[in-house]
Amino acid sequence: MPAREVRSEYKKDASGEAVTTVYSNATPPPASDSTDEFTTYFDQKIPIPEDEKHPWFSFRKLWAFTGPGFLMSIAYLDPGNIESDLQSGAVAGFKLLWVLLLATVIGLLLQRLAARLGVVTGLHLAEVCNRQYPKVPRIILWLMVELAIIGSDMQEVIGSAIAIHLLSVGKIPLWGGVLITIADTFMFLFLDKYGLRKLEAFFGFLITVMAIMFGYEYVTAKPNQAELLKGMFVPYCDKCGPPQLEQAVGIVGAVIMPHNMYLHSALVKSRQINRSNKKEVSEANKYFFIESCVALFVSFLINVFVVSVFAEAFFGQTNAEVHNVCANVSIEHAGLFPLNNDTLDVDIYKGGVVLGCYFGPAALYIWAIGILAAGQSSTMTGTYSGQFVMEGFLNLKWSRFARVVLTRSIAITPTLLVAIFQDVEHLTGMNDFLNVLMSLQLPFALIPVLTFTSLRPVMNDFANGLGWKIAGGILVIIIISINMYFVVIYVTALGQMVLYVIATIISIVYLAFVAYLSWQCLIALGVSFLACGHTYHLGLTAQPELFLLNNIDAEPVMSR
């Protein structure tokens, strides 16, 4: 191979800072036009006030940094999570609350990595993937993340449609609820035209609505506080079988969502931070982490409300018992529950009906309002995720309206078709498949974020230390293993040979790509012998300015 000639070109990035890009003779530098620039979705940047009186901690500064973490936390409150919560309470009582707590803490640590990547580099995760991975892996990665976003979006639209169906006492069909969700999402998405802080305030309002609605259900159900605390802090599950184990796995899969890493790394770019000033970057990392802690604590409490209501009132109940209660209070949906002694099987729709049977119609409508707030807020953040991912991976320069139309159409179309041709029970039944779909996509967010935050050429002095590398690697392995178990359980339940064969073929391709990402991640974590010194023979350095993972000690991609 000919010797590689290296040269540098200086240019300005989207924030106006000087950036040095390294090129070789293998790939010419891009044309000096605007198509190579990466820009954030938000045009406005929030200034950070100075507070010399409180150098270590300032509530004024914390308030200025508050916003991105709460938008991120909405993914922990989407209809998929709410359904996982109510099923956990109905199937295992309070026994799996510690799993919910553990999953939330793990999610917080992973979100910290995503936020640090955005703050330190000035690029969100999709943009970094665009610059660091070669073309083919980059496209595959983009497709996988888009699948995760579509799956999440479908759950959120389904939740909103069911809430509208319940609030209208069945007068608005499900497909009508889907269309209403499409329309109001378009309207809400343009709120940031009136200022980013107003948009963040609107999301804060929706989180408050959820807290009040589900808090009302919690107070009405009056759960046993001793059992609640025991289930939250004592890691046990007495007399638990396969259903409870599957539910525990489902909690982890529902809480930790792949596209949320991409979202959070982009949202932190909305604050004015001088990234050439190490003190400002360190301060931004600190305040964003504190805000994320507060936001995820609030989301955890709301999830606990839902689990506790169904654990107290419906754990151990049978379909026949619920049917009789609903029939006695003249609830027209009593037929949803067959007259048998099987354990109560609930979802978002049946959950609202059950609450109406036991606690009165007000509980049903309050539940529906809470689900509507969850669906609307998560649908909006899901759309933002789709736009960040598409812009970052493909560097698209479309108008805002065009981007919204495309990303919404991709997710809405399959949901609308299902809503038209299926009833509400089949619509909620899609959640199991969608949870499996998103579980499969988790490696495509967790592995890249751990890889890039461990690379000193990318993160400089803010790269992960040895402790974070070890802890991050263990967390990624545990989460991926848990979710793969969840996928295996789902596939084995299909019971058809043709589906087994298809699943096997897909699994081989899937695992090969995960192995490739893991290989690069291990090199970034310091396992340098895996690079073998001849990585270029695999064709991974066709664009060396985008791919430095095989040469960690080489000249950085960007020096600021």
Side-chain angles (χ1 to χ4, degrees), residues 42 66 149 164 182 219 236 316 340 354 394 396 479 511 519 527:
F42 300 115
T66 297
I149 293 172
I164 293 171
I182 297 172
V219 172
Y236 85 115
N340 58 43
V354 169
L394 304 182
L396 293 181
I479 292 168
L511 291 173
W519 170 51
V527 190

Side-chain angles (χ1 to χ4, degrees), residues 437-515:
L437 178 66
M438 286 184 289
S439 297
L440 283 170
Q441 311 311 316
L442 265 175
F444 307 125
L446 303 187
I447 296 177
V449 79
L450 179 61
T451 299
F452 298 134
T453 54
S454 299
L455 276 174
R456 191 170 184 83
V458 174
M459 297 290 288
N460 295 318
D461 294 338
F462 295 94
N464 292 332
L466 179 61
W468 269 101
K469 289 179 180 179
I470 295 173
I474 293 172
L475 287 179
V476 169
I477 291 172
I478 291 174
I479 292 168
I480 292 175
S481 300
I482 287 174
N483 283 278
M484 286 306 297
Y485 171 81
F486 185 49
V487 171
V488 169
I489 292 294
Y490 180 81
V491 171
T492 53
L494 296 176
Q496 297 185 30
M497 183 57 66
V498 175
L499 295 177
Y500 287 153
V501 173
I502 295 173
T504 301
I505 295 172
I506 294 175
S507 297
I508 293 173
V509 177
Y510 170 84
L511 291 173
F513 187 57
V514 171

Side-chain angles (χ1 to χ4, degrees), residues 115-151:
R116 284 171 67 88
L117 180 68
V119 170
V120 174
T121 66
L123 303 170
H124 59 70
L125 182 55
E127 292 171 334
V128 177
C129 289
N130 184 307
R131 293 190 171 191
Q132 294 290 336
Y133 286 123
K135 185 175 181 180
V136 173
R138 186 168 71 239
I139 292 175
I140 296 174
L141 194 59
W142 167 64
L143 291 174
M144 294 298 100
V145 177
E146 284 291 352
L147 274 177
I149 293 172
I150 291 169

